[in-house]
Each structure stands twice: as C-alpha cells, then as structure tokens.
Amino acid sequence: MSDIRDNRPELLAPAGDMECLRAALDFGADAVYLAGQMFGMRTAPSNFTREELQTAVALAHARGVRVYVTCNTVPRNKEIDLLPDYLAFLQEAGVDALIVTDLGVIDLAKRYAPKVELHVSTQAGITNYAAANAFYQLGAKRVVLARETTMEEIAEIRAKTPKDLEIEAFVHGAMCMSFSGRCLLSNYMAGRDANRGACAQPCRWKYALVEEKRPGQYMPIYQEGEGSYILNSKDMCMVRHLPELLRAGVTSLKIEGRAKSSYYVAVTTNAYRWALDELEQHPDTPVSPWIVEELDKISHRPYSTGFYLGGEPGQETVQGGYVRNYEVIAVCEDYHDGIAILSQRNRFFRGETADVLEVGEQPFDLPLDELFDQDGQPIESAPHATMTVLLKTERPLKRGAILRHRRTEDS
C-alpha cells in the first residue's frame, strides 16, 4: 500500500481486539497498533489470532490505515525458536511495522521479516539522540520515545538524528511509575511479569506502614497532608499541546490503551482526530473546548502533561481509582422511518437527554422522549442489559452511534 506519511502527523490508535480496531478505523486513526497471541506487552486484552490479524490488516489497508504489531516483550531462551516462524507470518500478513525492544528480536526481524519496518518500542527507554542514532544504525525506521523525555529533549533528538528516522511519542493514556515500564513490583508482589505484558499494577494500590512489633496495625502514609497512593501515576493528556509536540519534531502521536474498551478507543481517536484537523486548518487557534471535554467522558485517572512540560506533579496520591463522570447507555443498531433501534448498555429513562458520539459529527444532545420496547409498547426506562429499545426521533442516527449520559451517584 502507499505510504500515507507525507507532511502531516500520524494519529496512532490502540486496538486490543477487533471491536477496538473497527472503532479506531471509524473515528479517524491513520495507523493502529495491536498484538498477536505472543510477544506483545499487553496480555489483558484478547489480542488477535493469526486469522484475525490477517483480517485486521485487510480491513485497515482497505481504509488506508497502517498496522503495527507489537513484538516488544523481553523473550526468554525457550521462546526464541518461536520467533522466526511468527515474524515470517507477520510479513506475509502484510503488517507495516514491528514494534520491538530486544536486540535479538531486532536481529531476527531483519532476517525473517526484512520487508517490514522496525519501530523501537518505548520499552527501550530512548531519551537521547545517541540511543536513537544507534537504533537507526541497526535498521530502525522509527523510535518510540520514553515518556520521560521533555519537549526540549525531543527537539534536540530531532535535530541530531537523520531526517528519515521517525519519532513517535505518547499523547494520551496511562503512565507508569517506573521508567517506561521496566518495573519488577508486579513480579515480586503478584508473580506477574510486567516486562512480558502481565503487570498487575501494584503501583496503583494503597500502601501503609506496619511496625514489626505491632502486626495488624496499619499506619497510613501521607504526603503533605494528602493520601497514601504514593506510587500511583496520573494519566497523560496532551490534547492542548499538540502544536508544541509537532514543533519539537514528533512524527507520530500515540494513544495508549490496548487494554481499554472500544468506547475509549472511539472517544480518544475521535478527539485527537478533530484536534489535529483543527490544527491543520487553524494553526494559531487553541483546541476547541468540546474536544477537551470529550476526554473527560471516558474512564481515566486525573490528567497531567507528564514529563513533557516539567514542573507538574505526576502522581495521584489521594485516590487510586478512576474518574468516571459519564457512561454509555446505548448503541444505535439501525435507523429508519424516524425510529432508532438501540441496544441498551446501562439503565436510562424516558425524558433524559443523551449525549451522542457519532462518526464524522461533533457530539450532540438527543432527547429520549419517546421510548418503546421491541414490540412497540411505550416504556419509561431501559433497565435490562442489551435490551432492544426503540427511540422515536426526527434526527437520523448512524449505525454505531454511541449514546451517553452523565453518571449520578446511584449509576
């Protein structure tokens, strides 16, 4: 397929399964990254079988979207013999790039998948131009920078590396309290290897002190009067700062989240797509407020700009959970003759107003004034999971439109 990367930045979205892939394609991703059943740094999502991966590549390429496959775990001796066949399969499937960390995997990829680009993973911890140049000499087409880099450091990396070496950086999603994921807490505390995609995220847990002669007496840890989630990182949100990232020389803007839902993929991809399109048309205008507001409608930890701008606390010490202000209440299955056919996701009531996310449209309000069950009988609410609800509305809804509402205390 032709290379879509001319002078515009690439929007790179996560895809943990086929539903997430379709959301990324529908809402404007230029490229997606995903994993097969081995060697990917996320084991929580279902990931893709070989057959599904072939289908995913075909679907993406039909839309002009590139596919990058993660091979960025740190493999053990017993796994090495599996790599040649797997890498050859990925090349045969038509994937556009392999995301790699391990030097041995890089060497094997050049031998068994020589036609596939090499993108060096954030797991490699690249924070300087010498490391970026070293990987370029090893055959890398792109480096995915460590989240610990600042804007100034990115600009220097760009200035002191070959122009055809692409630079990818994260713009949204979860951050790790360790150095780009190289953490052993999960191994020690849960027997799950973070460097093999199985992190239990013990950094999110609440900790207390115990004095050895007073077992069972848990003394909370405080930081300047705040709470005791001392290792808990905030989430990243850079939607207000895309111009700075692009001026620094970032080629690809990456959304974290292969373990997240298709709704998360839809919202984040849509928001950053609109933000980039606005920036292209009006480079001196701040991002529209509604785009920023969209990113508050997904489950997230308190946002920060991470290390990019400096000076902002990156830890959320008060609580270890998520901010969940909105929830999905229904998805549109079809629309005809003034009737939208909805599939329920969470309870909602007649008389509410839904906030609708639809491909190609800014979010809009939709009154839920006339609701019916699948037999056409009027109903006051939709309390049952995945029940079919008929909504009478003069505004046509596209198939796949997502209806949301603000959560209440009893939601």
Side-chain angles (χ1 to χ4, degrees):
M1 65 178 292
S2 61
D3 195 332
I4 65 169
R5 296 164 297 177
D6 37 34
N7 294 317
R8 64 197 296 259
E10 175 186 83
L11 178 59
L12 177 56
D17 57 28
M18 195 65 74
E19 186 178 6
C20 292
L21 173 79
R22 293 181 188 277
L25 299 180
D26 288 343
F27 283 94
D30 296 311
V32 295
Y33 65 105
L34 50 85
Q37 298 290 300
M38 60 182 83
F39 304 112
M41 276 295 293
R42 293 289 184 274
T43 57
S46 59
N47 294 316
F48 291 74
T49 65
R50 290 197 174 200
E51 293 75 16
E52 288 172 335
L53 202 150
Q54 290 171 318
T55 300
V57 171
L59 287 173
H61 284 183
R63 305 276 285 271
V65 174
R66 294 166 61 86
V67 177
Y68 310 146
V69 174
T70 59
C71 295
N72 56 344
T73 58
V74 180
R76 303 301 180 106
N77 285 332
K78 62 183 179 181
E79 297 172 290
I80 297 301
D81 288 345
L82 301 174
L83 273 161
D85 175 70
Y86 183 59
L87 294 169
F89 161 73
L90 294 177
Q91 176 169 283
E92 181 65 25
V95 304
D96 298 283
L98 303 173
I99 303 174
V100 294
T101 302
D102 183 79
L103 290 174
V105 177
I106 291 174
D107 180 65
L108 289 169
K110 290 194 293 185
R111 283 193 274 158
Y112 294 98
K115 298 178 182 178
V116 183
E117 290 182 6
L118 293 179
H119 295 180
V120 179
S121 172
T122 189
Q123 298 299 120
I126 298 172
T127 59
N128 62 75
Y129 60 85
N133 281 322
F135 280 112
Y136 177 78
Q137 294 299 323
L138 290 172
K141 173 68 174 177
R142 177 183 297 187
V143 290
V144 187
L145 298 183
R147 290 176 176 85
E148 292 74 27
T149 49
T150 65
M151 290 286 188
E152 292 78 11
E153 289 168 332
I154 295 173
E156 186 171 7
I157 291 170
R158 176 70 288 167
K160 295 181 177 180
T161 54
K163 297 304 180 186
D164 61 336
L165 177 66
E166 298 172 358
I167 294 177
E168 180 178 307
F170 283 91
V171 293
H172 198 91
M175 294 189 290
C176 183
M177 56 76 60
S178 186
F179 194 93
S180 284
R182 292 187 289 183
C183 178
L184 294 176
L185 271 180
S186 183
N187 288 44
Y188 287 133
M189 301 184 72
R192 289 167 52 178
D193 192 339
N195 293 301
R196 298 168 66 77
C199 185
Q201 296 192 335
C203 56
R204 310 293 186 185
W205 302 347
K206 186 174 184 177
Y207 289 89
L209 291 174
V210 177
E211 198 275 324
E212 65 177 347
K213 294 183 179 179
R214 286 179 280 185
Q217 295 185 31
Y218 301 102
M219 293 170 279
I221 303 169
Y222 292 98
Q223 178 180 352
E224 298 179 356
E226 294 183 346
S228 56
Y229 293 88
I230 56 174
L231 304 176
N232 184 39
S233 297
K234 293 181 179 180
D235 280 1
M236 178 188 292
C237 181
M238 291 295 290
V239 74
R240 298 179 190 268
H241 302 282
L242 300 183
E244 296 99 304
L245 283 167
L246 299 181
R247 283 196 296 269
V250 174
T251 307
S252 177
L253 304 172
K254 187 172 193 171
I255 299 169
E256 183 276 337
R258 280 196 294 117
K260 302 290 181 66
S261 68
S262 60
Y263 172 65
Y264 169 95
V265 174
V267 172
T268 54
T269 305
N270 186 62
Y272 282 91
R273 176 77 277 148
W274 276 87
L276 286 171
D277 290 348
E278 279 192 355
L279 181 60
E280 185 176 19
Q281 297 172 18
H282 308 287
D284 299 320
T285 303
V287 63
S288 293
W290 75 263
I291 295 176
V292 179
E293 292 169 6
E294 272 297 288
L295 296 170
D296 280 326
K297 296 175 184 177
I298 54 175
S299 177
H300 64 91
R301 295 182 176 88
Y303 285 133
S304 80
T305 55
F307 291 86
Y308 284 125
L309 304 180
E312 181 178 349
Q315 302 302 108
E316 174 52 45
T317 60
V318 176
Q319 54 92 25
Y322 288 89
V323 177
R324 293 187 172 100
N325 294 325
Y326 279 75
E327 65 183 0
V328 176
I329 57 174
V331 175
C332 181
E333 301 289 346
D334 205 353
Y335 178 90
H336 54 81
D337 300 328
I339 299 294
I341 303 173
L342 308 178
S343 176
Q344 189 260 29
R345 293 296 182 268
N346 281 288
R347 183 179 60 170
F348 61 94
F349 297 87
R350 184 178 69 82
E352 285 191 66
T353 298
D355 178 5
V356 181
L357 175 65
E358 193 174 75
V359 173
E361 303 288 341
Q362 294 185 23
F364 58 89
D365 290 340
L366 183 71
L368 305 179
D369 292 333
E370 296 186 70
L371 302 179
F372 305 87
D373 65 18
Q374 61 184 354
D375 297 321
Q377 298 301 310
I379 55 176
E380 293 296 311
S381 66
H384 304 302
T386 68
M387 68 179 290
T388 296
V389 179
L390 308 181
L391 169 66
K392 186 175 181 180
T393 173
E394 293 181 359
R395 174 156 188 166
L397 289 182
K398 297 177 184 177
R399 183 175 298 178
I402 302 169
L403 282 65
R404 311 166 288 189
H405 70 186
R406 180 175 284 276
R407 289 169 57 92
T408 59
E409 290 186 2
D410 59 350
S411 293

